[in-house]
Amino acid sequence: MKTQYDGDRAGISRRTLLTRTGAAAAALVAAPVLGGVQPARAAGSWRVPGEETPHKRTWMAWPSSSTIWGSSLSLIQADIAKLARTIATYEPVIMCADGPTAAARAGTICGPTVTVISSIPVSDCWMRDTGPLFRVDGTGGLDSFGLNFNAWGENATSFYGIPASAYDKDRTVAQQVAAYAGASFVRADVVGEGGGVEYDGDGTLMATESCWVNSNRNPGRTRDQIEAELLSRFGASKMIWLPGVTGKDVTDGHIDGTARYIKPGVVMVQLAGAVRPDVWTANAQAIHDVLVNSTDARGRQLQVLTIEGPDTLPRIPAGKQKQFLSSYMNWAVTDQAVITTQFGDTTKDEAAKAAIEAAYGRPVIQLDLDNLYGNGGGGAHCVTMQEPNS
């Protein structure tokens, strides 16, 4: 068991596709593309590189809170461990666990290929949203910033009744991971999550307005102000604002379940399969329609690839299917492979695998992560954060 008890070193259901009881109807927030074509970034300037570029390692967090997970905790832990072991086949994985007891369990379940540390306290497993965004400057420099995680606009409390204090440790994860990695750290002047923004590493961002221009995260901030801050932090020059869905899931419509960058100039969109509620079907189509008419920061017309979600979820009880995050898009990219999921719809699973492999030119590993995608409502991307080679 590769476990480090280095405490002296510096340093739920997350998403539901069911309508909340008493919640307002979801709103499709259609937004125009902002920003014109601008010069490419200057050589040596700081930027968050695309996820397809080489990694030093992947960061994850071990769930150990019964307050958050209740009776589902062991099932979620099993899926997190399966994913961590798979990623560790391709690149190093550091798993942050909340103290020695949690670290010991994580090490036992994850096995010797995953490095478990107990010096960075964590509340839950959503490292994409709680961890730092690492930047490089092309000359060997590494720094980072955080997006001031506030439990998805405190939606974890308003949706599920989980006390806000249950996420207190996750509010400081970003700076502690950065310190462990030896990267300087600053806090951004906006509130949000890493799963709420996609970046190509070449000057262009895309995000849903519903996540960012939202009073539960950035009250009093205009879209232009939020855009300017994100562009500055990511080292980008153009934002593509996409339609979003408000009030239907705890994230208010994170982009990483629907549209992802493959590489600069190329994006992939998942059009909804038969099991997705109508609001998400309409939103996916609206996102697609914006992107096919978009150019990036370098003036390239985006190439928009598409896949379709599953039409059946044979392993999931009918009453739970509308809660299920049936997204192939929420993959984790490693240096040598892409790790995603399969849902038991053989035709759609195989088609998605073939399309993602063709897009990346890398093998695609499909795992059964039903508990994470079902009880957790998040996926492989949601629970990982890459640290790039500097």
Side-chain angles (χ1 to χ4, degrees):
M1 179 177 69
K2 191 185 295 184
T3 305
Q4 300 175 18
Y5 299 120
D6 52 356
D8 59 342
R9 185 158 185 171
I12 174 182
S13 176
R14 172 176 178 270
R15 193 189 301 238
T16 177
L17 303 183
L18 288 177
T19 305
R20 290 161 52 196
T21 303
L28 288 180
V29 187
V33 178
L34 291 184
V37 176
Q38 299 185 29
R41 58 184 173 79
S45 59
W46 290 100
R47 64 187 176 91
V48 178
E51 293 181 32
E52 81 285 358
T53 58
H55 299 173
K56 180 176 181 179
R57 55 195 169 194
T58 288
W59 288 85
M60 297 183 68
W62 183 251
S64 59
S65 171
S66 58
T67 299
I68 293 172
W69 288 109
S71 61
S72 298
L73 180 59
S74 63
L75 299 175
I76 297 299
Q77 289 176 338
D79 275 6
I80 291 292
K82 181 191 299 185
L83 177 61
R85 289 193 302 269
T86 304
I87 294 173
T89 303
Y90 302 101
E91 65 188 50
V93 175
I94 294 184
M95 180 76 71
C96 301
D98 192 29
T101 300
R105 178 167 174 79
T108 298
I109 300 175
C110 292
T113 61
V114 176
T115 298
V116 180
I117 64 172
S118 62
S119 58
I120 300 176
V122 295
S123 301
D124 207 353
C125 59
W126 309 108
M127 185 61 81
R128 179 65 47 180
D129 294 345
T130 63
L133 280 299
F134 290 102
R135 305 192 308 178
V136 298
D137 65 358
T139 63
L142 180 74
D143 77 356
S144 66
F145 64 93
L147 290 170
N148 304 298
F149 177 73
N150 72 343
W152 310 283
E154 310 299 348
N155 278 340
T157 299
S158 58
F159 271 51
Y160 314 119
I162 298 171
S165 59
Y167 290 94
D168 282 352
K169 294 172 184 177
D170 279 352
R171 300 170 202 266
T172 63
V173 165
Q175 56 264 49
Q176 294 187 69
V177 168
Y180 192 105
S184 61
F185 176 84
V186 296
R187 290 182 175 274
D189 290 334
V190 291
V191 174
E193 304 87 37
V197 59
E198 277 284 308
Y199 40 91
D200 70 351
D202 198 36
T204 311
L205 309 180
M206 60 181 182
T208 56
E209 185 175 342
S210 53
C211 290
W212 294 94
V213 193
N214 191 320
S215 61
N216 66 11
R217 293 170 173 88
N218 294 295
R221 295 291 186 96
T222 67
R223 186 174 67 183
D224 286 352
Q225 290 171 331
I226 295 165
E227 175 180 320
E229 175 66 5
L230 289 174
L231 292 177
S232 175
R233 296 298 180 187
F234 278 85
S237 58
K238 182 171 183 178
M239 171 70 83
I240 302 174
W241 286 111
L242 295 169
V245 177
T246 302
K248 281 292 196 178
D249 78 334
V250 76
T251 73
D252 292 306
H254 272 183
I255 188 60
D256 66 351
T258 304
R260 301 287 303 279
Y261 273 109
I262 303 295
K263 61 182 180 180
V266 182
V267 298
M268 182 175 281
V269 177
Q270 178 175 310
L271 302 177
V275 296
R276 298 298 298 274
D278 289 346
V279 65
W280 296 103
T281 300
N283 183 243
Q285 186 63 55
I287 285 173
H288 171 272
D289 293 348
V290 172
L291 289 173
V292 296
N293 292 299
S294 297
T295 56
D296 66 12
R298 293 188 180 252
R300 292 172 292 222
Q301 186 75 33
L302 290 180
Q303 179 184 359
V304 182
L305 309 175
T306 60
I307 60 174
E308 294 184 358
D311 292 324
T312 63
L313 296 171
R315 299 188 296 260
I316 308 303
K320 295 184 177 181
Q321 291 189 6
K322 291 186 182 299
Q323 302 177 54
F324 197 91
L325 179 65
S326 54
S327 171
Y328 300 108
M329 305 299 298
N330 203 268
W331 59 62
V333 181
T334 75
D335 281 347
Q336 302 174 55
V338 178
I339 316 301
T340 186
T341 189
Q342 49 87 1
F343 301 114
D345 181 335
T346 303
T347 299
K348 290 297 185 71
D349 289 349
E350 291 179 352
K353 182 177 187 290
I356 299 167
E357 283 183 339
Y360 274 105
R362 303 179 191 182
V364 168
I365 311 302
Q366 290 184 304
L367 303 177
D368 176 348
L369 299 171
D370 284 356
N371 291 300
L372 182 62
Y373 280 72
N375 294 325
H381 193 247
C382 298
V383 297
T384 56
M385 178 60 80
Q386 73 285 348
E387 180 183 337
N389 284 341
S390 56

